[in-house]
Amino acid sequence: MRKKIEVCLTPALIDLYDIEASIVVVIDVLRATSSITYGIDNGAEAIIPVANVEDCLKYDGKGYLLAAERNGEVVEGYDFGNSPFSYTTEKVKGKTIVLTTTNGTKALHLAHKRAHQVVIGSFLNLDVLCNYLKSQNKDVLLLCAGWKDQFNLEDTLFAGAVVEELEDDFDFFDDSSVAAKDLYMLAKNDLRKYLYKSSHSSRLAKLNIEEDVVFCLQLNICKAIPVLKGERLVPLNPLKGTL
Amino acid sequence: MRKKIEVCLTPALIDLYDIEASIVVVIDVLRATSSITYGIDNGAEAIIPVANVEDCLKYDGKGYLLAAERNGEVVEGYDFGNSPFSYTTEKVKGKTIVLTTTNGTKALHLAHKRAHQVVIGSFLNLDVLCNYLKSQNKDVLLLCAGWKDQFNLEDTLFAGAVVEELEDDFDFFDDSSVAAKDLYMLAKNDLRKYLYKSSHSSRLAKLNIEEDVVFCLQLNICKAIPVLKGERLVPLNPLKGTL
């Protein structure tokens, strides 16, 4: 079977792809999919992604941990946010977390409507994710969450890292896969330096999440692959390929 | 004034950009914008881009040259196509040509509805185009026509070539500009080799336009900048910045 990889550079382009039989990897490395990976790896029972604070606060008082952030700031009265440092074992083990993430939620919902399976990718679980994708007899779409439907570099670099690992096991790569991989090869020796050098817009600097960025660019500190089941992200059992 | 450059990687994303005060450069280097540049440079009075053969044939018998192609083949009964080799001085001087180009026409029409000005870019007129953009006090959007709304490498590489030339004269570049420029720097020593190495899909090889590709990747053999006026592409007078 001829297995293919494609990279969808922003959620705005997802309708161009046939994903009914594919595994879709949702990528929003700063910070949603990194925090989700780390939280599931640290024993969170589930993570529910929502698009905005209003949706997040609907879960208040029902036993959930709420990561209620607006414009990068934790909402007053809450003490848990989107930083991966909130997702330690002590804080999340056995808990279900509701996470506010605009770009990530949009990408997840778009993929969930049509794909065979939706999993979460981040530098933190790169190898375990790639081994899983190699083991499945499925095409793969790497879906970059981007920034308000725009292309962004950090998600594209992660897509490129996956393409690099999978290129011997798949035999079709589209133009955006080729571009993502070549950009990753340029950046891989110092991802953080590349992102900051490149971000002339100072978009990352403005977010004031320097420690989070450094954390999210670590390779392979997690073994978990979160998978979407209904509205909940839960741990995948790679041996079964399903839950 | 803080002048900015952005790169729109496919026409499907153009609604994300404020272009009302911008110059939009439409890029479809294989082959529409290369043939248009070469034709205008060789004295064509105007070139009218249309989306399909049916629209092209409506101009039959009215004194136009018709470049009526379907799936890369010249329609039977016509002897003029989309290859830049059709656009020599002997064939086009003083003539108006109707050109069938799906991706290029779509990009041109989308830009024309909103932009301050729409011009045509190709490797053939890279320097003269960049000098013009430097001379104007306007933001620039580089609009890649792509392939059926998908990202493609050849248009992105040309966008990167423009970014490289303009980076000292502009002071904002978005993430897609950075990516396009870095990909161009990787590819610039042998554009053709890069495109063929990269195109695992054999998309270019399938088109069977090898000679045209080599022609379209030549740098700076033309002085013309085609500009859109109504439905017609005509020569820009760079001294006036208008017609």
Side-chain angles (χ1 to χ4, degrees):
Chain A
M1 184 182 141
R2 188 165 184 257
K3 280 167 68 176
K4 74 179 175 190
I5 296 181
E6 294 172 300
V7 174
C8 182
L9 294 169
T10 101
L13 299 177
I14 194 166
D15 286 346
L16 301 173
Y17 298 87
D18 292 327
I19 54 174
E20 283 66 18
S22 302
I23 300 173
V24 174
V25 180
V26 172
I27 302 165
D28 187 6
V29 297
L30 297 179
R31 300 169 289 176
T33 61
S34 300
S35 293
I36 290 166
T37 302
Y38 192 54
I40 294 291
D41 201 59
N42 284 331
E45 194 170 288
I47 297 178
I48 302 171
V50 296
N52 55 53
V53 170
E54 288 65 36
D55 287 346
C56 187
L57 297 183
K58 287 177 191 165
Y59 290 85
D60 199 10
K62 298 175 183 170
Y64 299 99
L65 273 176
L66 304 191
E69 282 203 3
R70 201 189 305 264
N71 303 323
E73 300 284 333
V74 176
V75 176
E76 205 178 321
Y78 297 85
D79 59 358
F80 192 84
N82 287 0
S83 164
F85 294 105
S86 293
Y87 293 74
T88 56
T89 303
E90 309 82 69
K91 292 182 180 166
V92 304
K93 193 169 175 60
K95 302 278 177 60
T96 294
I97 301 144
V98 185
L99 171 71
T100 315
T101 162
T102 312
N103 300 308
T105 298
K106 178 173 180 180
L108 281 161
H109 286 175
L110 285 169
H112 189 50
K113 280 193 293 187
R114 292 167 47 219
H116 168 70
Q117 186 179 59
V118 180
V119 298
I120 291 293
S122 70
F123 287 106
L124 308 183
N125 70 345
L126 173 62
D127 279 356
V128 67
L129 172 71
C130 289
N131 287 335
Y132 173 65
L133 297 173
K134 285 180 194 174
S135 74
Q136 302 297 299
N137 229 348
K138 293 285 177 191
D139 294 333
V140 170
L141 181 73
L142 305 174
L143 173 56
C144 300
W147 180 256
K148 297 181 180 176
D149 278 342
Q150 300 263 15
F151 170 93
N152 80 21
L153 279 167
E154 60 271 23
D155 294 339
T156 304
L157 291 180
F158 176 74
V162 175
V163 172
E164 191 207 5
E165 287 215 21
L166 296 188
E167 63 187 351
D168 291 339
D169 294 80
F170 288 72
D171 50 12
F172 174 89
F173 301 89
D174 64 354
D175 278 20
S176 39
S177 301
V178 173
K181 185 205 156 195
D182 281 351
L183 290 168
Y184 177 66
M185 298 310 280
L186 273 179
K188 67 184 286 190
N189 285 339
D190 194 337
L191 290 169
R192 180 171 160 275
K193 190 173 166 195
Y194 183 81
L195 286 176
Y196 278 85
K197 168 194 82 94
S198 299
S199 192
H200 293 252
S201 66
S202 306
R203 181 170 53 81
L204 291 181
K206 275 184 201 152
L207 288 175
N208 197 22
I209 52 167
E210 171 64 15
E211 285 184 359
D212 289 1
V213 172
V214 172
F215 186 91
C216 294
L217 297 179
Q218 297 175 97
L219 292 176
N220 300 316
I221 63 165
C222 296
K223 297 290 182 202
I225 305 172
V227 61
L228 195 59
K229 186 178 184 192
E231 65 170 3
R232 301 159 71 90
L233 290 156
V234 296
L236 175 77
N237 180 338
L239 293 177
K240 295 182 184 169
T242 55
L243 292 170
Chain B
M1 183 181 140
R2 188 163 183 259
K3 281 167 68 176
K4 74 179 175 189
I5 296 181
E6 294 171 301
V7 173
C8 181
L9 294 168
T10 100
L13 299 176
I14 195 167
D15 286 345
L16 301 173
Y17 297 87
D18 292 326
I19 54 172
E20 283 67 18
S22 301
I23 300 173
V24 175
V25 180
V26 171
I27 300 165
D28 186 8
V29 297
L30 298 179
R31 300 168 292 174
T33 60
S34 299
S35 293
I36 291 165
T37 302
Y38 191 53
I40 294 291
D41 201 60
N42 283 330
E45 194 171 287
I47 297 178
I48 302 172
V50 297
N52 55 53
V53 169
E54 289 64 36
D55 287 347
C56 187
L57 298 182
K58 288 177 191 165
Y59 290 86
D60 199 12
K62 298 175 183 172
Y64 297 99
L65 273 177
L66 304 191
E69 283 202 2
R70 200 189 306 266
N71 303 324
E73 300 284 334
V74 176
V75 176
E76 206 178 319
Y78 296 85
D79 59 357
F80 191 85
N82 286 1
S83 164
F85 294 105
S86 292
Y87 292 74
T88 55
T89 304
E90 309 82 70
K91 292 182 179 164
V92 304
K93 193 170 174 61
K95 302 276 178 60
T96 293
I97 302 145
V98 184
L99 172 71
T100 314
T101 162
T102 312
N103 301 308
T105 298
K106 178 173 180 182
L108 281 161
H109 287 174
L110 285 169
H112 189 50
K113 281 194 292 188
R114 293 166 48 219
H116 169 70
Q117 187 178 59
V118 180
V119 297
I120 291 292
S122 70
F123 287 107
L124 309 183
N125 70 345
L126 173 63
D127 279 355
V128 67
L129 172 71
C130 289
N131 288 335
Y132 172 66
L133 297 173
K134 286 180 195 174
S135 75
Q136 302 297 300
N137 229 348
K138 294 284 177 192
D139 294 334
V140 170
L141 181 74
L142 304 174
L143 173 56
C144 299
W147 179 256
K148 297 180 180 175
D149 278 342
Q150 300 261 16
F151 170 92
N152 80 22
L153 278 167
E154 60 270 23
D155 294 339
T156 305
L157 291 180
F158 177 73
V162 175
V163 172
E164 189 206 7
E165 286 215 22
L166 296 188
E167 63 187 351
D168 292 338
D169 293 81
F170 288 71
D171 50 12
F172 174 90
F173 302 88
D174 64 354
D175 277 20
S176 39
S177 302
V178 173
K181 185 206 156 193
D182 281 350
L183 290 168
Y184 178 66
M185 298 309 280
L186 273 180
K188 68 184 287 189
N189 285 338
D190 194 337
L191 290 169
R192 179 171 160 275
K193 190 174 166 193
Y194 183 83
L195 286 176
Y196 278 86
K197 167 193 83 92
S198 299
S199 192
H200 293 252
S201 69
S202 308
R203 181 170 52 82
L204 292 181
K206 275 183 202 152
L207 289 175
N208 197 23
I209 53 166
E210 170 64 16
E211 286 184 358
D212 288 1
V213 172
V214 171
F215 186 91
C216 293
L217 297 178
Q218 296 176 98
L219 292 176
N220 300 315
I221 64 164
C222 295
K223 297 292 183 201
I225 304 172
V227 61
L228 194 58
K229 187 180 183 191
E231 64 170 2
R232 301 158 71 89
L233 290 156
V234 296
L236 175 77
N237 180 338
L239 294 177
K240 295 182 185 169
T242 56
L243 293 169

